[in-house]
Amino acid sequence: MFLFFLILVAIGAVNVLAPQFVWRIRYGKLAGENSEPNPSFLTLSRLAGMMALVGATLILTNGL
């Protein structure tokens, strides 16, 4: 359970703090050098990161 907690924290932190990095990893090569991520993708990525951090907090509060 502790490993799952750490994975959720890592994914959540990256999605909240650097959603453009996530986009570059996922779609950077396919889209080309000069393309930018869609603002809606950035917003949804941040929301997913927040949900992952909330899930990690729930795991932490209910006991590892």
Side-chain angles (χ1 to χ4, degrees), residues 6-24:
L6 288 178
I7 290 171
L8 278 179
V9 168
I11 290 173
V14 170
N15 278 339
V16 169
L17 298 175
Q20 290 181 342
F21 174 71
V22 174
W23 185 85
R24 293 272 178 223

Side-chain angles (χ1 to χ4, degrees), residues 32-63:
E33 294 288 327
N34 297 328
S35 61
E36 300 260 338
N38 193 356
S40 63
F41 176 85
L42 297 177
T43 302
L44 289 175
S45 181
R46 283 192 176 110
L47 287 174
M50 287 180 206
M51 292 174 77
L53 290 174
V54 166
T57 304
L58 289 174
I59 289 174
L60 185 64
T61 57
N62 288 332

